[in-house]
Amino acid sequence: MAARVSVVMPCYNAAPWLEAAVDSVLGQTHGDFELLAVDDGSTDATPRILADAARRDNRVRVLGGGKNAGIVAALNQGLDQARGDYIARMDADDIALPARFARQIRFLEETGVDLCGSWFREFGAGLPRDVRWAHSEVALRTAMLFQSTLCHPTLMAKRQVFERLRYREGYALAEDYDLYARAYRYFRLANVPEVLLRYRRHRAQASQARRDAMESVTRRIRLEMLEAQGYAPNAEERRLHNLVRAPHSLHEERDLKGTEAWLLKLHDAMGDDEARRTVAQQWIRVCVRSAPLGRRMWDLYISSPLHGAAAASRIHDLDLRLLSILKLEYRSPAFELLRRFGLSA
């Protein structure tokens, strides 16, 4: 018998993209689902679009519609109403590929994993780009020391995960990372190594407009993850750890050398080859952020033991060499242009 899926989709002033998102859910090859569309106080055409969808397909249930309470409240409202054996996330501006639900259900059943995301394709700003995050349980758990490791709108989980956990208001803007950081203590997490969602990039996204606030919450979760996995960094190591995936450039050579030493310490403490390689791969990200150091970055990048341990590709090396020559600021318009049109790092 087909497993029922509850799809939780918060919606706030999403009219330009909402119909495509809803249609991508209604067009799934696995048809036994309910779509819980939570209108978080929208002031555009979102309520009308949702009402039209509910009229033409009784699998759509529209919730909310009061004042704007924020995404955490909207997510938890949807979870409170969910009746499925599996609970899936969906954003109102993304597009699920037709076999997404079927593939994720099969993955959860065959592997025994409790939560899974998937790879995804970015579109809407520059050339489409497939994003392949860590997918095995070991690599994903290790990468979680540095960042969220499941793309939130690709999430599907067994019901018991959300019977135990809810999203927390105190971690808004990084509520997904906080959820995974707590979930890994009780449940198994992995990513389906296939592209199952088209992830839309646009200027209205909260993760772009409120990056500084999101990073503040993210820094706290990173340090909580270190402690949860048994590490006791000193104050300087805590600072360096948050520099590894900081949303800004590194301009001091001492910071680049410091992060190298910290990553080497973490690398040597890992008891698994895949975990060690995942830590070493963070060196590539540090050096991307250190491009303003120019030749000094390149020399440290290529000579570090982390370069070999990360199994850096020739493409990564070419990208880092180019960035060192151009000395591009991280997230600068020139950097973003390169990233949109082929920069792999």
Short mmCIF file of all heavy atoms in Angstrom, two decimals, residues 117-168:
data_model
loop_
_atom_site.label_atom_id
_atom_site.label_comp_id
_atom_site.label_asym_id
_atom_site.label_seq_id
_atom_site.Cartn_x
_atom_site.Cartn_y
_atom_site.Cartn_z
N GLY A 117 17.68 14.35 2.36
CA GLY A 117 17.51 15.41 1.38
C GLY A 117 17.93 14.85 0.05
O GLY A 117 17.91 13.63 -0.16
N SER A 118 18.31 15.73 -0.86
CA SER A 118 18.81 15.27 -2.16
C SER A 118 19.69 16.34 -2.76
O SER A 118 19.75 17.47 -2.26
CB SER A 118 17.65 14.96 -3.12
OG SER A 118 17.08 16.15 -3.63
N TRP A 119 20.37 15.99 -3.82
CA TRP A 119 21.05 17.00 -4.62
C TRP A 119 19.99 17.86 -5.30
O TRP A 119 18.81 17.50 -5.35
CB TRP A 119 21.94 16.34 -5.65
CG TRP A 119 23.12 15.63 -5.05
CD1 TRP A 119 23.58 15.73 -3.77
CD2 TRP A 119 23.99 14.70 -5.71
NE1 TRP A 119 24.68 14.93 -3.58
CE2 TRP A 119 24.96 14.29 -4.75
CE3 TRP A 119 24.06 14.18 -7.00
CZ2 TRP A 119 25.97 13.38 -5.07
CZ3 TRP A 119 25.07 13.28 -7.32
CH2 TRP A 119 26.01 12.89 -6.36
N PHE A 120 20.40 19.02 -5.81
CA PHE A 120 19.43 19.94 -6.40
C PHE A 120 20.10 20.76 -7.49
O PHE A 120 21.32 20.83 -7.59
CB PHE A 120 18.82 20.85 -5.33
CG PHE A 120 19.82 21.62 -4.52
CD1 PHE A 120 20.14 22.93 -4.82
CD2 PHE A 120 20.45 21.03 -3.42
CE1 PHE A 120 21.05 23.65 -4.08
CE2 PHE A 120 21.38 21.74 -2.66
CZ PHE A 120 21.68 23.05 -2.99
N ARG A 121 19.28 21.38 -8.32
CA ARG A 121 19.76 22.21 -9.42
C ARG A 121 19.36 23.67 -9.16
O ARG A 121 18.18 23.99 -9.08
CB ARG A 121 19.20 21.73 -10.75
CG ARG A 121 19.63 22.59 -11.95
CD ARG A 121 19.29 21.89 -13.26
NE ARG A 121 20.00 20.64 -13.37
CZ ARG A 121 19.41 19.45 -13.59
NH1 ARG A 121 18.09 19.39 -13.74
NH2 ARG A 121 20.12 18.35 -13.66
N GLU A 122 20.34 24.53 -9.02
CA GLU A 122 20.07 25.96 -8.88
C GLU A 122 19.70 26.53 -10.24
O GLU A 122 20.30 26.18 -11.25
CB GLU A 122 21.30 26.69 -8.34
CG GLU A 122 21.65 26.37 -6.91
CD GLU A 122 22.84 27.19 -6.43
OE1 GLU A 122 23.56 27.77 -7.28
OE2 GLU A 122 23.06 27.24 -5.21
N PHE A 123 18.73 27.44 -10.26
CA PHE A 123 18.38 28.12 -11.50
C PHE A 123 17.82 29.49 -11.14
O PHE A 123 17.54 29.79 -9.99
CB PHE A 123 17.35 27.30 -12.31
CG PHE A 123 15.95 27.35 -11.77
CD1 PHE A 123 14.97 28.10 -12.42
CD2 PHE A 123 15.60 26.65 -10.63
CE1 PHE A 123 13.66 28.14 -11.92
CE2 PHE A 123 14.29 26.69 -10.13
CZ PHE A 123 13.33 27.44 -10.78
N GLY A 124 17.69 30.34 -12.16
CA GLY A 124 17.09 31.64 -11.94
C GLY A 124 18.09 32.78 -11.88
O GLY A 124 17.70 33.94 -11.95
N ALA A 125 19.37 32.46 -11.72
CA ALA A 125 20.42 33.49 -11.69
C ALA A 125 21.66 32.89 -12.35
O ALA A 125 22.37 32.10 -11.76
CB ALA A 125 20.72 33.92 -10.26
N GLY A 126 21.89 33.26 -13.60
CA GLY A 126 23.01 32.68 -14.33
C GLY A 126 22.66 31.31 -14.88
O GLY A 126 21.50 30.89 -14.94
N LEU A 127 23.70 30.56 -15.27
CA LEU A 127 23.49 29.23 -15.81
C LEU A 127 23.02 28.28 -14.72
O LEU A 127 23.45 28.38 -13.57
CB LEU A 127 24.80 28.71 -16.42
CG LEU A 127 25.35 29.47 -17.63
CD1 LEU A 127 26.70 28.89 -18.04
CD2 LEU A 127 24.37 29.43 -18.80
N PRO A 128 22.13 27.33 -15.06
CA PRO A 128 21.74 26.31 -14.08
C PRO A 128 22.99 25.57 -13.58
O PRO A 128 23.96 25.37 -14.32
CB PRO A 128 20.82 25.39 -14.88
CG PRO A 128 20.30 26.24 -15.98
CD PRO A 128 21.42 27.16 -16.35
N ARG A 129 22.94 25.15 -12.33
CA ARG A 129 24.12 24.56 -11.69
C ARG A 129 23.68 23.44 -10.76
O ARG A 129 22.87 23.67 -9.85
CB ARG A 129 24.86 25.67 -10.93
CG ARG A 129 25.91 25.27 -9.93
CD ARG A 129 26.36 26.53 -9.20
NE ARG A 129 27.17 26.25 -8.04
CZ ARG A 129 28.49 26.44 -7.97
NH1 ARG A 129 29.13 26.91 -9.02
NH2 ARG A 129 29.15 26.19 -6.88
N ASP A 130 24.16 22.22 -10.98
CA ASP A 130 23.84 21.11 -10.09
C ASP A 130 24.70 21.19 -8.84
O ASP A 130 25.92 21.38 -8.92
CB ASP A 130 24.08 19.78 -10.79
CG ASP A 130 23.05 19.47 -11.85
OD1 ASP A 130 22.07 20.25 -11.98
OD2 ASP A 130 23.20 18.47 -12.57
N VAL A 131 24.05 21.08 -7.69
CA VAL A 131 24.75 21.15 -6.40
C VAL A 131 24.71 19.77 -5.78
O VAL A 131 23.63 19.23 -5.50
CB VAL A 131 24.10 22.19 -5.47
CG1 VAL A 131 24.84 22.25 -4.13
CG2 VAL A 131 24.10 23.57 -6.14
N ARG A 132 25.89 19.20 -5.58
CA ARG A 132 26.02 17.83 -5.05
C ARG A 132 26.66 17.89 -3.67
O ARG A 132 27.88 17.87 -3.55
CB ARG A 132 26.85 16.99 -6.01
CG ARG A 132 26.24 16.85 -7.40
CD ARG A 132 27.16 16.05 -8.32
NE ARG A 132 26.56 15.78 -9.61
CZ ARG A 132 26.66 16.59 -10.67
NH1 ARG A 132 27.35 17.73 -10.57
NH2 ARG A 132 26.09 16.27 -11.82
N TRP A 133 25.85 17.96 -2.65
CA TRP A 133 26.36 18.00 -1.29
C TRP A 133 26.73 16.60 -0.83
O TRP A 133 26.37 15.59 -1.45
CB TRP A 133 25.30 18.58 -0.36
CG TRP A 133 25.19 20.08 -0.46
CD1 TRP A 133 25.94 20.91 -1.24
CD2 TRP A 133 24.28 20.93 0.24
NE1 TRP A 133 25.56 22.22 -1.06
CE2 TRP A 133 24.55 22.26 -0.16
CE3 TRP A 133 23.28 20.69 1.17
CZ2 TRP A 133 23.84 23.34 0.34
CZ3 TRP A 133 22.57 21.78 1.67
CH2 TRP A 133 22.85 23.08 1.27
N ALA A 134 27.48 16.53 0.28
CA ALA A 134 27.83 15.25 0.89
C ALA A 134 26.57 14.40 1.02
O ALA A 134 25.50 14.90 1.39
CB ALA A 134 28.46 15.47 2.25
N HIS A 135 26.68 13.10 0.70
CA HIS A 135 25.45 12.30 0.71
C HIS A 135 25.50 11.10 1.65
O HIS A 135 24.46 10.66 2.13
CB HIS A 135 25.09 11.84 -0.71
CG HIS A 135 26.12 10.98 -1.37
ND1 HIS A 135 26.13 9.61 -1.22
CD2 HIS A 135 27.16 11.29 -2.17
CE1 HIS A 135 27.15 9.12 -1.92
NE2 HIS A 135 27.78 10.10 -2.50
N SER A 136 26.69 10.56 1.95
CA SER A 136 26.73 9.43 2.87
C SER A 136 26.54 9.92 4.30
O SER A 136 26.73 11.10 4.61
CB SER A 136 28.06 8.70 2.75
OG SER A 136 29.09 9.45 3.39
N GLU A 137 26.18 9.00 5.18
CA GLU A 137 25.93 9.39 6.57
C GLU A 137 27.18 9.94 7.25
O GLU A 137 27.13 10.93 7.98
CB GLU A 137 25.38 8.20 7.35
CG GLU A 137 23.98 7.77 6.90
CD GLU A 137 23.45 6.59 7.69
OE1 GLU A 137 23.17 6.76 8.89
OE2 GLU A 137 23.33 5.50 7.11
N VAL A 138 28.34 9.31 6.99
CA VAL A 138 29.59 9.76 7.62
C VAL A 138 29.98 11.14 7.11
O VAL A 138 30.29 12.05 7.89
CB VAL A 138 30.72 8.75 7.35
CG1 VAL A 138 32.07 9.33 7.79
CG2 VAL A 138 30.45 7.44 8.08
N ALA A 139 29.98 11.32 5.79
CA ALA A 139 30.37 12.61 5.22
C ALA A 139 29.41 13.71 5.63
O ALA A 139 29.81 14.83 5.94
CB ALA A 139 30.45 12.51 3.70
N LEU A 140 28.13 13.38 5.66
CA LEU A 140 27.13 14.38 6.01
C LEU A 140 27.26 14.81 7.47
O LEU A 140 27.23 15.99 7.80
CB LEU A 140 25.74 13.80 5.73
CG LEU A 140 24.53 14.72 5.82
CD1 LEU A 140 23.46 14.25 4.83
CD2 LEU A 140 23.95 14.71 7.22
N ARG A 141 27.47 13.84 8.34
CA ARG A 141 27.63 14.16 9.76
C ARG A 141 28.87 15.02 9.98
O ARG A 141 28.85 15.96 10.77
CB ARG A 141 27.73 12.86 10.56
CG ARG A 141 28.08 13.09 12.03
CD ARG A 141 28.07 11.79 12.80
NE ARG A 141 28.59 11.98 14.15
CZ ARG A 141 28.26 11.23 15.19
NH1 ARG A 141 27.37 10.27 15.05
NH2 ARG A 141 28.79 11.45 16.38
N THR A 142 29.95 14.73 9.27
CA THR A 142 31.17 15.51 9.42
C THR A 142 31.00 16.91 8.86
O THR A 142 31.39 17.91 9.48
CB THR A 142 32.34 14.81 8.72
OG1 THR A 142 32.45 13.46 9.20
CG2 THR A 142 33.65 15.53 8.97
N ALA A 143 30.39 17.02 7.68
CA ALA A 143 30.17 18.32 7.07
C ALA A 143 29.27 19.20 7.91
O ALA A 143 29.33 20.43 7.86
CB ALA A 143 29.57 18.15 5.67
N MET A 144 28.43 18.56 8.75
CA MET A 144 27.51 19.31 9.59
C MET A 144 28.25 20.15 10.65
O MET A 144 27.69 21.07 11.22
CB MET A 144 26.52 18.38 10.27
CG MET A 144 25.28 19.08 10.80
SD MET A 144 24.16 17.96 11.68
CE MET A 144 23.73 16.85 10.35
N LEU A 145 29.52 19.85 10.88
CA LEU A 145 30.32 20.69 11.77
C LEU A 145 30.50 22.09 11.20
O LEU A 145 30.80 23.03 11.94
CB LEU A 145 31.70 20.06 11.99
CG LEU A 145 31.75 18.77 12.80
CD1 LEU A 145 33.14 18.16 12.72
CD2 LEU A 145 31.36 19.01 14.25
N PHE A 146 30.32 22.24 9.89
CA PHE A 146 30.62 23.49 9.22
C PHE A 146 29.40 24.19 8.63
O PHE A 146 29.41 25.41 8.45
CB PHE A 146 31.64 23.25 8.10
CG PHE A 146 32.89 22.57 8.57
CD1 PHE A 146 33.04 21.19 8.47
CD2 PHE A 146 33.92 23.31 9.13
CE1 PHE A 146 34.19 20.57 8.91
CE2 PHE A 146 35.08 22.69 9.58
CZ PHE A 146 35.21 21.32 9.47
N GLN A 147 28.36 23.44 8.28
CA GLN A 147 27.22 24.03 7.59
C GLN A 147 26.03 23.09 7.63
O GLN A 147 26.16 21.91 7.98
CB GLN A 147 27.57 24.30 6.12
CG GLN A 147 27.78 23.03 5.32
CD GLN A 147 27.99 23.26 3.84
OE1 GLN A 147 29.06 23.03 3.33
NE2 GLN A 147 26.95 23.71 3.17
N SER A 148 24.87 23.61 7.25
CA SER A 148 23.71 22.75 7.04
C SER A 148 24.03 21.79 5.91
O SER A 148 24.63 22.18 4.90
CB SER A 148 22.48 23.59 6.69
OG SER A 148 21.38 22.77 6.42
N THR A 149 23.63 20.54 6.06
CA THR A 149 24.06 19.52 5.11
C THR A 149 22.93 18.90 4.30
O THR A 149 23.17 18.00 3.51
CB THR A 149 24.80 18.40 5.87
OG1 THR A 149 24.01 18.01 7.00
CG2 THR A 149 26.15 18.89 6.37
N LEU A 150 21.70 19.34 4.52
CA LEU A 150 20.58 18.95 3.68
C LEU A 150 19.89 20.22 3.20
O LEU A 150 19.55 21.09 4.01
CB LEU A 150 19.56 18.09 4.43
CG LEU A 150 19.91 16.64 4.77
CD1 LEU A 150 20.79 16.57 6.01
CD2 LEU A 150 18.63 15.82 5.00
N CYS A 151 19.67 20.33 1.91
CA CYS A 151 18.94 21.47 1.36
C CYS A 151 17.49 21.38 1.86
O CYS A 151 16.79 20.40 1.56
CB CYS A 151 19.01 21.45 -0.17
SG CYS A 151 18.10 22.75 -0.98
N HIS A 152 17.07 22.38 2.62
CA HIS A 152 15.81 22.28 3.36
C HIS A 152 14.61 21.92 2.50
O HIS A 152 13.81 21.05 2.87
CB HIS A 152 15.57 23.59 4.11
CG HIS A 152 14.62 23.48 5.24
ND1 HIS A 152 14.04 24.57 5.84
CD2 HIS A 152 14.10 22.40 5.90
CE1 HIS A 152 13.24 24.17 6.81
NE2 HIS A 152 13.25 22.87 6.87
N PRO A 153 14.39 22.54 1.34
CA PRO A 153 13.20 22.18 0.55
C PRO A 153 13.28 20.80 -0.10
O PRO A 153 12.31 20.38 -0.74
CB PRO A 153 13.11 23.29 -0.50
CG PRO A 153 14.48 23.85 -0.59
CD PRO A 153 15.05 23.72 0.79
N THR A 154 14.41 20.09 0.06
CA THR A 154 14.48 18.70 -0.43
C THR A 154 14.20 17.69 0.68
O THR A 154 14.21 16.49 0.43
CB THR A 154 15.86 18.38 -1.04
OG1 THR A 154 16.85 18.27 0.00
CG2 THR A 154 16.28 19.42 -2.06
N LEU A 155 13.95 18.14 1.89
CA LEU A 155 13.85 17.24 3.04
C LEU A 155 12.62 16.34 2.97
O LEU A 155 11.53 16.78 2.65
CB LEU A 155 13.79 18.07 4.33
CG LEU A 155 13.58 17.30 5.64
CD1 LEU A 155 14.79 16.43 5.95
CD2 LEU A 155 13.31 18.26 6.79
N MET A 156 12.83 15.06 3.30
CA MET A 156 11.74 14.14 3.62
C MET A 156 12.16 13.34 4.84
O MET A 156 13.31 12.91 4.94
CB MET A 156 11.40 13.20 2.47
CG MET A 156 10.24 12.25 2.80
SD MET A 156 9.79 11.11 1.47
CE MET A 156 8.93 12.22 0.34
N ALA A 157 11.24 13.15 5.78
CA ALA A 157 11.55 12.45 7.03
C ALA A 157 10.42 11.52 7.41
O ALA A 157 9.25 11.75 7.07
CB ALA A 157 11.80 13.46 8.15
N LYS A 158 10.77 10.49 8.15
CA LYS A 158 9.75 9.63 8.74
C LYS A 158 9.00 10.41 9.81
O LYS A 158 9.55 11.30 10.45
CB LYS A 158 10.40 8.38 9.34
CG LYS A 158 11.05 7.47 8.31
CD LYS A 158 11.78 6.31 8.96
CE LYS A 158 12.45 5.43 7.90
NZ LYS A 158 13.25 4.34 8.53
N ARG A 159 7.76 10.05 10.00
CA ARG A 159 6.89 10.81 10.90
C ARG A 159 7.47 10.95 12.31
O ARG A 159 7.35 12.00 12.95
CB ARG A 159 5.52 10.15 10.96
CG ARG A 159 4.55 10.90 11.85
CD ARG A 159 3.16 10.29 11.86
NE ARG A 159 2.26 11.14 12.64
CZ ARG A 159 1.65 12.21 12.17
NH1 ARG A 159 1.82 12.56 10.91
NH2 ARG A 159 0.87 12.94 12.94
N GLN A 160 8.14 9.88 12.80
CA GLN A 160 8.62 9.91 14.18
C GLN A 160 9.67 10.98 14.42
O GLN A 160 9.87 11.41 15.56
CB GLN A 160 9.16 8.54 14.60
CG GLN A 160 10.22 7.95 13.71
CD GLN A 160 9.64 6.96 12.72
OE1 GLN A 160 8.56 7.20 12.16
NE2 GLN A 160 10.34 5.85 12.51
N VAL A 161 10.33 11.44 13.37
CA VAL A 161 11.30 12.53 13.53
C VAL A 161 10.60 13.77 14.05
O VAL A 161 11.04 14.41 15.02
CB VAL A 161 12.02 12.82 12.20
CG1 VAL A 161 12.90 14.07 12.34
CG2 VAL A 161 12.85 11.62 11.76
N PHE A 162 9.49 14.13 13.42
CA PHE A 162 8.77 15.34 13.82
C PHE A 162 7.83 15.11 15.00
O PHE A 162 7.30 16.07 15.55
CB PHE A 162 8.04 15.93 12.63
CG PHE A 162 8.98 16.58 11.65
CD1 PHE A 162 9.20 16.02 10.40
CD2 PHE A 162 9.66 17.73 11.98
CE1 PHE A 162 10.07 16.62 9.50
CE2 PHE A 162 10.53 18.33 11.10
CZ PHE A 162 10.73 17.78 9.85
N GLU A 163 7.63 13.86 15.39
CA GLU A 163 6.95 13.61 16.66
C GLU A 163 7.87 13.93 17.82
O GLU A 163 7.40 14.26 18.91
CB GLU A 163 6.48 12.16 16.73
CG GLU A 163 5.32 11.85 15.79
CD GLU A 163 4.94 10.38 15.79
OE1 GLU A 163 5.75 9.53 16.21
OE2 GLU A 163 3.80 10.08 15.36
N ARG A 164 9.17 13.88 17.57
CA ARG A 164 10.16 14.18 18.62
C ARG A 164 10.67 15.61 18.55
O ARG A 164 10.97 16.22 19.58
CB ARG A 164 11.33 13.21 18.51
CG ARG A 164 12.40 13.44 19.56
CD ARG A 164 13.28 12.23 19.76
NE ARG A 164 14.04 12.34 21.00
CZ ARG A 164 14.58 11.33 21.65
NH1 ARG A 164 14.43 10.10 21.19
NH2 ARG A 164 15.27 11.52 22.75
N LEU A 165 10.79 16.16 17.36
CA LEU A 165 11.43 17.45 17.16
C LEU A 165 10.49 18.44 16.49
O LEU A 165 9.63 18.06 15.71
CB LEU A 165 12.69 17.30 16.31
CG LEU A 165 13.78 16.35 16.81
CD1 LEU A 165 14.84 16.16 15.75
CD2 LEU A 165 14.39 16.87 18.10
N ARG A 166 10.70 19.72 16.80
CA ARG A 166 10.03 20.81 16.11
C ARG A 166 11.07 21.88 15.79
O ARG A 166 12.19 21.87 16.31
CB ARG A 166 8.92 21.42 17.00
CG ARG A 166 7.62 20.63 17.02
CD ARG A 166 6.91 20.69 15.68
NE ARG A 166 5.54 20.20 15.74
CZ ARG A 166 5.19 18.95 15.55
NH1 ARG A 166 6.12 18.04 15.32
NH2 ARG A 166 3.91 18.59 15.59
N TYR A 167 10.70 22.79 14.91
CA TYR A 167 11.56 23.93 14.62
C TYR A 167 11.52 24.89 15.81
O TYR A 167 10.51 25.00 16.50
CB TYR A 167 11.10 24.63 13.35
CG TYR A 167 11.26 23.77 12.11
CD1 TYR A 167 10.19 23.02 11.62
CD2 TYR A 167 12.48 23.70 11.44
CE1 TYR A 167 10.33 22.23 10.50
CE2 TYR A 167 12.62 22.91 10.31
CZ TYR A 167 11.55 22.17 9.84
OH TYR A 167 11.69 21.39 8.73
N ARG A 168 12.62 25.63 16.02
CA ARG A 168 12.73 26.50 17.19
C ARG A 168 12.86 27.97 16.78
O ARG A 168 13.71 28.31 15.94
CB ARG A 168 13.94 26.09 18.04
CG ARG A 168 13.83 24.66 18.57
CD ARG A 168 14.79 24.40 19.70
NE ARG A 168 16.20 24.37 19.27
CZ ARG A 168 17.22 24.04 20.09
NH1 ARG A 168 16.97 23.72 21.35
NH2 ARG A 168 18.46 24.05 19.63
#
